[in-house]
Amino acid sequence: MRARIYPDLATYFAQTGTRQALFAARVGISPSYLSRIKNRLAQPPLELALKISAAARVPAESLTR
């Protein structure tokens, strides 16, 4: 069975019930910065985008504006 791919972070959090604060700690950023990325108010550097993408199973392209 293949792992589900989510279209964006908002969908990932809504469908998995993952808490943003715990996820932020897992990838090494603040919850407020994660919120800004999720809401497309901040664009993470490539290395962080790839880390978030792998952890949340979202396309890295969905993390850019």
Side-chain angles (χ1 to χ4, degrees):
M1 184 173 179
R2 291 179 20 199
R4 179 172 176 144
I5 303 296
Y6 299 93
D8 55 36
L9 280 177
T11 303
Y12 169 76
F13 290 121
Q15 292 187 359
T16 64
T18 301
R19 293 183 53 209
Q20 289 185 51
L22 294 176
F23 184 85
R26 187 180 334 148
V27 296
I29 60 175
S30 70
S32 61
Y33 185 41
L34 177 62
S35 178
R36 292 179 50 79
I37 293 169
K38 182 188 84 167
N39 293 310
R40 297 178 185 255
L41 299 173
Q43 186 169 336
L46 179 59
E47 185 177 320
L48 178 57
L50 294 174
K51 189 174 187 179
I52 293 170
S53 172
R57 300 181 311 271
V58 300
E61 301 83 33
S62 73
L63 303 172
T64 60
R65 291 189 238 171

